[in-house]
Amino acid sequence: MRELKLKAKCIEAGTAAPQYETERYLNFICDKFDLRTDIQFNTRIQSAQFLDDQRTWQVTDTSGRVYTSRYLITGMGVLSNPTLPNVPGVKDFQGEAFHTARWPKEPVSFENKRVGIIGTGATAIQAIPEIAKTVGHLTVFQRTPNWAIPLHNAKISPEEMQDIRTGYPKLFEKLQQTRMCFIHDANPDSIWDATPEQREELWEHLYAQPGFGMWLSNYKEILVDHKANDLVSEFVAKKTRQRVHNPETAELLIPKNHGFGTRRVPMETFYYEAYNRPNVRLVDLHKTAIDRITEKGVQIKGVKEGVEGEEHEFDMLIYATGFDAVTGAFDAIDFTGVGGVKLLEKWKEGPQTYLGMTVNGLPNMFMIRSIEFAVDWLANCIGYLQQKDLSRIEAREEGVKQWTEHVHQISEGFLSNEIDSWMTGVNKNVAGRQKRIVARYNGSAVEFRQRCRDVADARYDAFDLA
Ligand SMILES: NC(=O)c1ccc[n+]([C@@H]2O[C@H](COP(=O)([O-])OP(=O)(O)OC[C@H]3O[C@@H](n4cnc5c(N)ncnc54)[C@H](OP(=O)(O)O)[C@@H]3O)[C@@H](O)[C@H]2O)c1
């Protein structure tokens, strides 16, 4: 038990390492593998075109410089294209303004400042308690509350770190076996076999654990059965009520339009306690909406009868408003495949891929989604092509159709499909992103890897090779 607890601490601490630690680690890796000479920084790609007669990708950056390569591998991430609110006046604000995904390198001071933050997703939930510590006054604009649970990040002692290091082989083996590659085991127990006391005991235990246990080691029904989900949601709501002193604020912070775990669960460190500070105010955008950003701040309008508008003045505005997720980074580049086919056109109803890594009509292009496995898989694939003196690989239309059906099928039954979020492809700030789609693979990572390995074992005969 001790061993597992230590490992959980390590893995979960890793998911929320502070910026400076992450940067230090990236620099360490760059130095260790002498990667800098192979990386060109500060380069934004504008277009990518497949030249079929040469079996080559031609990639152009925003300065007009052209690069060619046989294979094109995209590692753009699913959350890399930040979006601002689609309200007028964003450029009018005269104070400091930042999107959380484009935070400046220089330290930002909140001291004695009136700060407004728009959004209450995972990013805002981590930023708010930090800002609240030093800010003059913080106003949080919340459109939809989320179900956040404690991260329980803690310092790891040298002895614990030593234990973790010696346990790496076992740890990595374990991460290969879990559904979402986290340390948490799936719970095979049914909520309906447990007494109310047993449920409470499990939930208290999970709520006190570091990381995603409350989400991933909970009773098997909570993500697929409304009644089960209502019970666990009520438990988390109770916890929120205990932590927020003002009962009205607590109610505003408890989601009413979706259940626990049906959106990506934000992990927090004293998020709810931030609202107990006199210098933090929550503005509910349920009865009101942002009318516009003004020179001085944010103009709110009432959207229900009898609710008045209000102007909030700020020295600083923070947009924690999320991303044009999953396909947004692809849409920002003009991808052209065989016969002039546009990726934007192909994906207008949502992403259509084979194995999540390749697209029909765009040969020799691979997309890295799940980093480690995808990199190994495609490196082996390219190695195979070279070994066989082949230079063209293309996903078949039929393969894409079958894979897309598989992705849709394994997604069936999840309550998360009934909710607007980036995981269902919805972003109210982006035209054409209002309809829910299956935007990501909802199956088990174990099954996903096996399917990809089967394709490799069959010498990639599911692809057109030339
Ligand atoms: N490892 C971690 O702990 C960690 C930390 C941070 C982020 N992340 C990852 O990053 C993902 C994205 O998180 P995020 O917080 O950056 O984005 P997000 O979850 O998409 O949240 C965006 C927030 O902005 C609000 N918003 C957007 N436009 C608005 C508008 N016009 N008016 C008012 N509110 C508006 C949204 O409200 P609505 O909900 O009403 O649209 C939402 O609260 C997470 O789900 C997670 O996967 C992970």
Side-chain angles (χ1 to χ4, degrees):
M1 190 62 197
R2 180 172 171 268
E3 194 190 24
L4 200 68
K5 242 167 126 181
L6 281 179
K7 286 171 184 171
K9 211 165 159 187
C10 167
I11 295 298
E12 296 304 337
T15 61
Q19 183 275 337
Y20 66 88
E21 262 183 35
T22 310
E23 187 174 348
R24 196 173 61 198
Y25 174 70
L26 293 175
N27 279 318
F28 163 76
I29 292 292
C30 266
D31 294 337
K32 182 171 174 180
F33 296 104
D34 192 21
L35 298 179
R36 281 174 218 283
T37 49
D38 294 323
I39 301 176
Q40 183 174 313
F41 293 99
N42 299 319
T43 305
R44 184 167 287 276
I45 300 305
Q46 187 165 282
S47 65
Q49 188 178 5
F50 186 65
L51 309 175
D52 212 357
D53 52 341
Q54 298 168 38
R55 296 182 178 176
T56 296
W57 276 95
Q58 182 174 285
V59 177
T60 309
D61 71 17
T62 44
S63 73
R65 196 166 158 194
V66 177
Y67 313 78
T68 54
S69 68
R70 167 114 316 143
Y71 300 101
L72 178 63
I73 299 167
T74 67
M76 300 190 285
V78 291
L79 296 161
S80 54
N81 198 13
T83 47
L84 289 162
N86 64 343
V87 292
V90 168
K91 288 200 177 124
D92 296 346
F93 182 63
Q94 295 298 306
E96 297 171 278
F98 308 109
H99 192 290
T100 43
R102 295 282 179 270
W103 202 252
K105 218 174 160 55
E106 304 71 40
V108 173
S109 166
F110 307 110
E111 249 167 80
N112 300 321
K113 288 182 187 161
R114 299 162 303 167
V115 177
I117 183 164
I118 301 175
T120 47
T123 302
I125 284 172
Q126 291 190 339
I128 287 164
E130 282 304 307
I131 298 167
K133 284 179 191 166
T134 55
V135 75
H137 190 274
L138 178 65
T139 305
V140 179
F141 294 98
Q142 170 187 270
R143 190 165 61 186
T144 314
N146 282 296
W147 297 99
I149 52 167
L151 175 62
H152 294 302
N153 238 353
K155 275 212 180 320
I156 298 171
S157 72
E159 298 76 41
E160 285 176 320
M161 198 59 230
Q162 191 49 40
D163 269 11
I164 292 165
R165 285 212 171 97
T166 49
Y168 275 159
K170 262 186 150 175
L171 175 62
F172 292 142
E173 199 185 311
K174 163 110 205 234
L175 299 177
Q176 290 291 315
Q177 291 157 8
T178 58
R179 187 182 160 80
M180 287 175 74
C181 313
F182 284 99
I183 192 148
H184 310 287
D185 285 310
N187 183 346
D189 297 343
S190 169
I191 193 169
W192 309 123
D193 292 338
T195 62
E197 292 74 28
Q198 285 168 331
R199 276 181 224 148
E200 195 78 3
E201 194 185 334
L202 175 73
W203 290 337
E204 286 289 355
H205 167 75
L206 294 175
Y207 197 83
Q209 294 295 305
F212 277 137
M214 191 74 191
W215 196 23
L216 305 179
S217 293
N218 217 310
Y219 294 112
K220 61 183 180 186
E221 294 91 352
I222 67 142
L223 301 180
V224 292
D225 174 339
H226 280 287
K227 278 193 182 144
N229 188 273
D230 286 349
L231 290 172
V232 71
S233 298
E234 194 39 48
F235 173 86
V236 183
K238 182 181 77 182
K239 287 286 179 197
T240 305
R241 289 186 191 108
Q242 286 168 356
R243 293 173 57 185
V244 179
H245 297 164
N246 181 324
E248 270 175 43
T249 308
E251 283 320 303
L252 293 176
L253 289 166
I254 295 170
K256 304 292 188 294
N257 70 343
H258 68 283
F260 172 78
T262 59
R263 284 174 144 196
R264 158 64 157 77
V265 177
M267 307 298 305
E268 50 84 24
T269 305
F270 302 128
Y271 172 61
Y272 292 109
E273 287 74 9
Y275 294 96
N276 297 335
R277 288 173 177 266
N279 63 340
V280 178
R281 177 183 168 197
L282 180 67
V283 173
D284 174 31
L285 296 180
H286 189 231
K287 294 181 189 142
T288 60
I290 297 174
D291 187 30
R292 62 174 300 122
I293 307 296
T294 65
E295 275 184 26
K296 291 184 175 165
V298 176
Q299 176 67 48
I300 298 294
K301 63 177 176 191
V303 288
K304 302 226 165 137
E305 232 184 276
V307 181
E308 302 259 304
E310 193 181 353
E311 182 165 10
H312 298 259
E313 293 189 4
F314 298 117
D315 303 303
M316 184 191 291
L317 253 183
I318 299 173
Y319 297 102
T321 42
F323 302 86
D324 186 5
V326 186
T327 53
F330 288 88
D331 290 1
I333 294 176
D334 180 15
F335 280 96
T336 312
V338 177
V341 65
K342 297 282 183 191
L343 184 63
L344 197 63
E345 189 57 29
K346 270 190 161 292
W347 281 6
K348 69 174 190 285
E349 299 296 328
Q352 312 270 316
T353 76
Y354 182 57
L355 307 179
M357 292 190 272
T358 58
V359 184
N360 168 256
L362 281 81
N364 292 8
M365 185 182 95
F366 299 92
M367 299 170 293
I368 298 173
R369 300 272 174 177
S370 55
I371 179 82
E372 188 179 350
F373 177 78
V375 169
D376 286 346
W377 188 91
L378 68 90
N380 286 335
C381 177
I382 292 173
Y384 175 85
L385 297 172
Q386 287 179 334
Q387 189 196 336
K388 297 286 173 194
D389 216 12
L390 298 164
S391 54
R392 191 182 190 279
I393 178 166
E394 182 178 1
R396 294 193 187 116
E397 207 174 329
E398 189 52 27
V400 171
K401 199 166 157 263
Q402 280 169 10
W403 181 258
T404 307
E405 275 166 17
H406 162 66
V407 172
H408 285 222
Q409 196 204 337
I410 49 168
S411 168
E412 274 169 25
F414 283 103
L415 302 178
S416 53
N417 294 332
E418 301 166 16
I419 310 300
D420 289 350
S421 78
W422 71 260
M423 299 199 314
T424 50
V426 177
N427 184 327
K428 292 178 187 143
N429 297 315
V430 182
R433 296 267 196 270
Q434 321 299 316
K435 210 176 92 191
R436 284 181 213 141
I437 55 164
V438 179
R440 48 173 219 134
Y441 192 77
N442 281 301
S444 142
V446 180
E447 184 186 340
F448 170 74
R449 286 192 296 261
Q450 192 52 51
R451 282 175 179 263
C452 296
R453 280 194 199 108
D454 288 346
V455 172
D457 289 348
R459 298 191 187 84
Y460 308 95
D461 69 357
F463 289 93
D464 283 332
L465 304 177

